[in-house]
Amino acid sequence: MGSEDDAALVARTVAGDSAAFGVLVDRYAGQARRVARAVLGDPDDADDAAQDGFLSALVKLGQYDARRPFGPWLMRIVANAATDRRRRRNVRRSEPLDPSLVGGGPRPDAVAVQSELGERLRSALQELPERRRTAVVLFDVEGYSHAEIARILGIPEGTVRSEVFHGRRRLRTLLADWKEQVR
Amino acid sequence: MKDMSSDFRDPELAAALRSALEPRGDQAAFVARVMAQYDHALDRGTVPTLDVLASWFRPGIAAAAAALIAGFLLGRAILTPAPASFDTALAPMEGQGLAALVTAPDPPDASVVFASLVEQR
């Protein structure tokens, strides 16, 4: 069942096969959780939003057009669920960095280095406008095309290109600074 | 210098972001958590039949009333005979008809009046 295509799994789900829906959730869980985390920042909030997205998609599966790819349709619902959750809740800001990791302390080990880079990237992402960071994550991390992202975010394709360009510029600068620092 | 065009993916940035956004908990646990809400979500998302019927109640009543009024007006228009025109009344008939009776210079004989009435029927 793992290799069954999305449209077939959707059809089986609509027919009442919950196991087919389970395969879809398993297939898209990582992607949905990352996209939700890009929007919300907090991993627990992100998981709640991703769950909302999957369950909302389950209820709306009858509206899905099987001629189109399932991923962008689902990610649109997940991104909307994350945005709704962010609006409803006063989302906790990212924890401040541990001063010992920022610099001046002993040279951290590889895990700590990776952890700090992750923290910095997450902080940088949260500084970007929501649409911009979601566009970058959908393009670079999840591999969606500009046209698909345009459909997911409900914006023109040219705007997606612009958002990806500006978002990357900020993140690449941060990444380059980081590499200089740990060299 | 790196290509800043947004047409190509940046593997280095992608890997760093993927790592930074990696979910905290186990995927199997997340899938189980979603599936635990499967039935509840479907129950919540399904609109009960009575609600559907209720949503159609008002438009249904309005449509029925409009159809009733339209039917009444149409029926009345069909069943009410149109008043006969003066020309129809004076139309020439075989034998001694109404026209002969009205245009005759002398008072008609009673048998002529009777015959005219019978012909009109």
Side-chain angles (χ1 to χ4, degrees), chain B residues 67-89:
Chain B
L68 202 65
I69 291 168
F72 172 74
L73 293 175
L74 191 68
R76 201 174 68 167
I78 289 171
L79 293 176
T80 305
S85 69
F86 190 69
D87 290 340
T88 307

Side-chain angles (χ1 to χ4, degrees), chain A residues 55-90:
Chain A
L55 296 174
S56 177
L58 170 65
V59 172
K60 294 175 182 168
L61 270 186
Q63 300 168 21
Y64 165 64
D65 180 355
R67 291 167 300 181
R68 295 191 157 212
F70 180 70
W73 183 81
L74 176 66
M75 285 311 118
R76 179 172 191 146
I77 294 173
V78 169
N80 284 340
T83 302
D84 287 348
R85 187 165 284 270
R86 191 179 58 74
R87 285 183 187 141
R88 283 201 309 268
R89 289 186 185 177
N90 184 16

Side-chain angles (χ1 to χ4, degrees), chain B residues 89-108 112 116:
Chain B
L90 294 183
M93 288 177 283
E94 284 185 15
Q96 295 175 313
L98 184 61
L101 188 67
V102 173
T103 54
D106 300 318
V112 173
S116 173

